[in-house]
Amino acid sequence: MTVTTLLTLLFCIVRLGCSAQSIQDRAYPPASPYPYEPYFQAHIAGAIDSIAAEPYGQRNRSVDNCPDTRRLVYSFALEGEAVTSPYTGRKFIQGPTGYFGAKSRDVRGRIATFGGDPLKYDLPPMTARLLRQPNDTLVMAFLSVPGNLVQQYHFAASHWARFYGLVADRMSADWHADFRAAVSDYAETRRPSDGTREHNPMDYAYDMVGTPGGDGVLGGTRFAGGTENHKIMWRTTALLYSQWFPDSARISNYATAEAERLTFGFLQDFVRRLGRTGHGEFDSEIYYPHSIQAFLNLYDFAKKPEHKQLAKTALDYYFATYALKTYHGSIAGAQKRGGLPKVESEMAVLLRAFADTTNLKPLPVPLAVATTTYRPNRVICNLFNKNVILPFSAQMSRPNYPMDKKNVTQESFYASNSFGLGNAPLTMVDNPNQQVAWSLVAPDGSDNLVFMGQQPQRGLNVGHSPYTQTLHDQGTIIVMSAPTQAGPSGVLSTEQAQRQQHAGAPLAHYPQPNLRDLSAVETFIDSTANSAATWLMIPKGVEKTEEDADGIFMEAGDAFIYVRPFGDWFWVDIPTSETAFFTKKGTRQTLTKYRILVCNGQPSGYVLESAEKSKYRDLTDFKQKVSQKARLNLSKYKKNALVEYRSFNNRRLKMKYRPDGLRADGWIDGTPLDYASWADGGVYDSPYLKIKNGRTTVTDGRESFVIDLDNP
């Protein structure tokens, strides 16, 4: 028997009881290089051609109606300028140019500024076109427009970095001079990607380099300077500019040498914080792709070894931590600044390009991935593909958003063969529309079935309601909502004050609407912000559902799921064909993808349990086993706000709702949850990934590697 085989066998024997601390004590062989290069090359084949075929220069055109035909007329006119109708030849005056349209001209009559940030979308196809057609004069001319050169906002800046590294040598000397001039005094006094918030006041003009001596992360102040992913895009791009530009150039009014020193220092500090406090914008399916692509830029184009190593350290961290919780590339559990995971999300697309997922439907590949030289090692790929011994449990300690206070939120996660379930009881109301407090992901063929729910204060399928509290253990979660009670007299804690501020309204009961009357359904959804109910979003991909007096039983992919409401329940099921009916509600269109289980009662809520389908003959057998073993006890709620539950795996859960706070007290098999010592006092604690005191150890049970976040 080889040493590797013996170690693997030993890992199999002790896997259920081992702590993550033991990862560092085992003599695993180091991680092997990336194992899927042929797959990766096949996956990205044709990607550049596909990206090059995408249109550009359309969203920033001004649009108006021909006064004679009422047909749309597109131009690059400013508001108030004369436009000639292509249909009748008659001139008319251009009205408002739209969010992305032209806004001003320079003294030579060239467009000096566009609205919004259209290069967030247009730069990748133009870069790809120049890769395929190096002398595409139309692309070169469009990129020479001053209004495009000055677009150095976060997303555009990150795309400029890849453009510059790949094809800038094909641009003229005059273009390079104009580009450096645009970067030299760049500062942002508006919010071009924030829609209606574009003109909200800002503390100061944000620049690419950052603020030396600031009290925040990544060269911003504690609560300003751009969000985390924005600052990463800016700092990595500025660091690359400092190497590409001559010494005489300037970047946001900093000399190149000073810009290099500052941005490298800010990025080093950020990576060190990852190993000490954890990630502020953790596991964000929406924003992680932008941070990762920014570090891919730095990895691919950095001229100095220490800059390239910093990028690799950050990328290994992102990929390893995210892979721990993914199924088919979709993140399960909690997210900061995220939404319910989708198989086709930007983050899933990015991850799936690297791992052997030939059994899944192909997805578009972003330009950064199609042209990068970075590869995750085999251990990360095995975590992503769940090619590890399952099930396993993990704990993650999350900091506040500025990353200057650790262990503010405590997440628990459970990964089985057929589902992932994670939960983060939140202790603050922070950006509540972009929170996923808990979710369950059950793979189903090439798709994922995603469950989550709460009191519907947000009126959406995501978010955080401060009326809702949770308790999680392995495949079981208790989700409960109740009215707020007055807190203690005197000075309130931050948690108590936020509960009073954001959840002080009384809750009301709303009966089931007439499901045949869509206007009644819409009124119901609009009215439920103060509903005395807890929702569960059940994806319509769940094909088999049965109900009886004990609750709801479902077959979801390779998992069985049991839901035990506390009281009465009813369904709100909006036909998928009625998506257009909710167009004016924006993200509420996604509600048509779910059956909404509305659970009433005092308290309102439910227990959700998940199990491996392979352990039961069929759904009937699962129902029988649940009915025999599972027990819910609400008798102590009225007096002590206690809910007790014995799972069908004979785990005893007790949850005490805190009506004057945001997080419940909990006990598992009689042991109280110790939030103060979460994750063994570190950042991550699991059999496969441990982060503590700046050191990250990652293993798949066969090989391992270490990331030194203290010395990136």
Side-chain angles (χ1 to χ4, degrees):
M1 181 180 294
T2 67
V3 174
T4 302
T5 304
L6 180 61
L7 286 168
T8 303
L9 178 60
L10 177 62
F11 185 84
C12 294
I13 294 172
V14 302
R15 67 184 184 274
L16 294 180
C18 74
S19 71
Q21 180 64 45
S22 59
I23 292 175
Q24 299 181 15
D25 300 333
R26 297 199 182 107
Y28 292 115
S32 298
Y34 180 66
Y36 297 131
E37 191 61 33
Y39 163 81
F40 179 83
Q41 293 299 328
H43 192 78
I44 67 172
I48 295 176
D49 292 323
S50 296
I51 297 168
E54 296 173 6
Y56 69 89
Q58 294 186 359
R59 59 176 39 86
N60 56 348
R61 293 180 298 175
S62 305
V63 61
D64 211 330
N65 295 102
C66 168
D68 301 312
T69 65
R70 306 308 302 167
R71 295 169 69 180
L72 295 178
V73 177
Y74 296 94
S75 70
F76 285 103
L78 270 61
E79 182 176 358
E81 292 182 342
V83 178
T84 300
S85 169
Y87 311 111
T88 65
R90 194 166 79 133
K91 290 187 176 181
F92 64 94
I93 301 302
Q94 172 70 45
T97 58
Y99 182 65
F100 290 110
K103 303 302 180 186
S104 68
R105 295 189 185 276
D106 63 14
V107 294
R108 295 171 54 185
R110 302 175 301 177
I111 297 175
T113 55
F114 289 102
D117 56 342
L119 288 190
K120 173 182 178 181
Y121 312 94
D122 286 355
L123 258 177
M126 287 190 283
T127 305
R129 288 196 184 203
L130 288 180
L131 284 171
R132 290 294 181 253
Q133 302 175 28
N135 297 315
D136 191 322
T137 56
L138 189 60
V139 168
M140 292 178 178
F142 190 69
L143 287 178
S144 299
V145 174
N148 283 325
L149 294 176
V150 298
Q151 287 183 54
Q152 298 291 333
Y153 192 66
H154 320 111
F155 305 102
S158 185
H159 291 323
W160 273 125
R162 188 146 296 265
F163 173 93
Y164 210 101
L166 291 174
V167 296
D169 60 340
R170 297 166 191 182
M171 306 300 286
S172 69
D174 287 343
W175 181 90
H176 281 273
D178 290 343
F179 188 84
R180 291 195 297 270
V183 171
S184 65
D185 59 355
Y186 171 78
E188 197 62 68
T189 58
R190 61 194 183 101
R191 308 170 189 269
S193 71
D194 285 343
T196 58
R197 295 179 292 173
E198 178 181 7
H199 301 293
N200 283 1
M202 296 169 63
D203 306 67
Y204 54 88
Y206 304 162
D207 62 50
M208 299 185 72
V209 174
T211 306
D215 59 355
V217 68
L218 285 162
T221 64
R222 196 166 182 271
F223 295 107
T227 58
E228 180 182 297
N229 69 92
H230 290 171
K231 286 182 282 190
I232 289 171
M233 287 186 275
W234 260 340
R235 307 304 178 246
T236 53
T237 300
L239 181 54
L240 287 169
Y241 285 169
S242 72
Q243 299 171 54
W244 287 328
F245 292 0
D247 293 343
S248 59
R250 300 186 74 81
I251 302 167
S252 286
N253 282 312
Y254 288 94
T256 53
E258 181 69 356
E260 177 183 346
R261 183 186 69 82
L262 288 171
T263 54
F264 185 51
F266 293 147
L267 291 166
Q268 280 184 309
D269 174 70
F270 169 73
V271 172
R272 288 174 181 138
R273 294 192 197 207
L274 294 176
R276 296 286 173 171
T277 68
H279 212 303
E281 203 166 75
F282 67 85
D283 293 346
S284 173
E285 186 186 53
I286 299 173
Y287 296 110
Y288 258 31
H290 304 293
S291 296
I292 289 174
Q293 289 181 70
F295 279 115
L296 288 175
N297 291 338
L298 188 59
Y299 180 86
D300 289 327
F301 305 122
K303 294 183 178 180
K304 295 186 177 180
E306 60 268 31
H307 298 166
K308 188 180 183 75
Q309 180 58 46
L310 171 71
K312 184 180 186 304
T313 299
L315 289 167
D316 285 347
Y317 169 91
Y318 274 101
F319 276 74
T321 55
Y322 202 89
L324 188 76
K325 294 171 53 181
T326 56
Y327 288 81
H328 291 174
S330 295
I331 192 85
Q335 292 184 61
K336 180 78 167 184
R337 300 199 71 206
L340 280 191
K342 303 182 291 293
V343 168
E344 69 280 6
S345 75
E346 287 182 82
M347 188 61 191
V349 167
L350 190 151
L351 277 177
R352 280 173 51 174
F354 289 99
D356 185 4
T357 52
T358 52
N359 59 317
L360 303 180
K361 62 184 179 184
L363 294 172
V365 176
L367 183 65
V369 172
T371 56
T372 189
T373 58
Y374 171 80
R375 302 290 187 271
N377 62 40
R378 180 157 59 192
V379 169
I380 294 175
C381 293
N382 283 336
L383 287 179
F384 174 81
N385 288 326
K386 292 296 173 283
N387 184 22
V388 295
I389 296 171
L390 298 168
F392 71 83
S393 294
Q395 290 186 343
M396 289 76 80
S397 169
R398 308 299 192 184
N400 60 343
Y401 195 78
M403 295 173 65
D404 58 3
K405 184 178 180 181
K406 66 181 297 185
N407 199 32
V408 172
T409 299
Q410 299 80 30
E411 181 180 1
S412 55
F413 184 75
Y414 182 74
S416 80
N417 286 286
S418 58
F419 66 89
L421 174 62
N423 173 61
L426 300 175
T427 57
M428 65 178 64
V429 181
D430 180 19
N431 199 4
N433 283 335
Q434 287 190 322
Q435 298 278 348
V436 178
W438 75 272
S439 71
L440 180 145
V441 171
D444 182 24
S446 63
D447 204 350
N448 284 327
L449 303 173
V450 183
F451 301 75
M452 71 87 64
Q454 61 178 340
Q455 188 273 340
Q457 186 186 61
R458 316 255 58 88
L460 306 171
N461 62 323
V462 293
H464 167 223
S465 170
Y467 290 105
T468 298
Q469 297 176 12
T470 53
L471 177 66
H472 168 232
D473 173 62
Q474 296 185 352
T476 305
I477 187 166
I478 302 175
V479 183
M480 180 165 43
S481 307
T484 298
Q485 293 181 3
S489 60
V491 178
L492 301 179
S493 69
T494 300
E495 183 179 336
Q496 292 168 334
Q498 292 199 0
R499 172 76 188 231
Q500 296 290 335
Q501 178 184 356
H502 298 284
L507 299 179
H509 173 73
Y510 293 91
Q512 182 179 26
N514 179 1
L515 299 182
R516 296 182 179 179
D517 182 354
L518 288 177
S519 63
V521 174
E522 186 173 27
T523 298
F524 172 80
I525 292 172
D526 288 342
S527 303
T528 51
N530 65 332
S531 175
T534 306
W535 288 8
L536 174 63
M537 313 300 295
I538 299 175
K540 290 185 176 177
V542 175
E543 296 183 355
K544 193 170 185 180
T545 302
E546 297 183 11
E547 301 178 24
D548 62 21
D550 291 325
I552 299 99
F553 301 83
M554 291 171 279
E555 184 176 332
D558 290 329
F560 285 138
I561 295 175
Y562 167 57
V563 179
R564 175 69 164 87
F566 292 169
D568 298 331
W569 75 83
F570 61 81
W571 297 95
V572 173
D573 190 350
I574 306 164
T576 305
S577 60
E578 299 297 338
T579 300
F581 182 80
F582 288 90
T583 298
K584 66 178 181 179
K585 299 299 180 184
T587 55
R588 291 193 183 180
Q589 294 181 49
T590 60
L591 295 180
T592 63
K593 299 179 181 179
Y594 301 90
R595 296 182 70 202
I596 305 173
L597 179 68
V598 180
C599 301
N600 292 313
Q602 282 293 346
S604 67
Y606 47 82
V607 178
L608 181 147
E609 283 207 77
S610 309
E612 303 282 354
K613 187 164 65 175
S614 60
K615 295 183 179 180
Y616 302 88
R617 292 191 302 273
D618 50 27
L619 188 60
T620 299
D621 182 45
F622 174 68
K623 288 176 60 178
Q624 291 175 346
K625 296 295 193 303
V626 170
S627 299
Q628 291 169 3
K629 297 181 179 180
R631 294 291 182 271
L632 174 66
N633 180 8
L634 297 173
S635 64
K636 300 178 183 178
Y637 177 79
K638 188 173 183 180
K639 182 177 181 181
N640 298 316
L642 279 173
V643 171
E644 296 177 313
Y645 184 74
R646 190 184 73 185
S647 73
F648 51 74
N649 289 325
N650 207 35
R651 303 273 291 183
R652 292 178 292 114
L653 282 67
K654 185 167 69 172
M655 174 177 171
K656 180 179 176 63
Y657 189 89
R658 301 300 299 267
D660 63 341
L662 297 172
R663 182 177 63 189
D665 296 330
W667 295 260
I668 308 296
D669 284 340
T671 302
L673 294 180
D674 184 4
Y675 291 121
S677 302
W678 205 254
D680 190 34
V683 178
Y684 274 71
D685 187 52
S686 78
Y688 300 112
L689 175 63
K690 183 177 181 69
I691 302 177
K692 188 175 182 179
N693 298 329
R695 178 185 173 92
T696 298
T697 308
V698 192
T699 181
D700 59 7
R702 298 171 291 277
E703 301 173 291
S704 71
F705 70 101
V706 173
I707 308 172
D708 186 357
L709 295 170
D710 269 352
N711 296 285

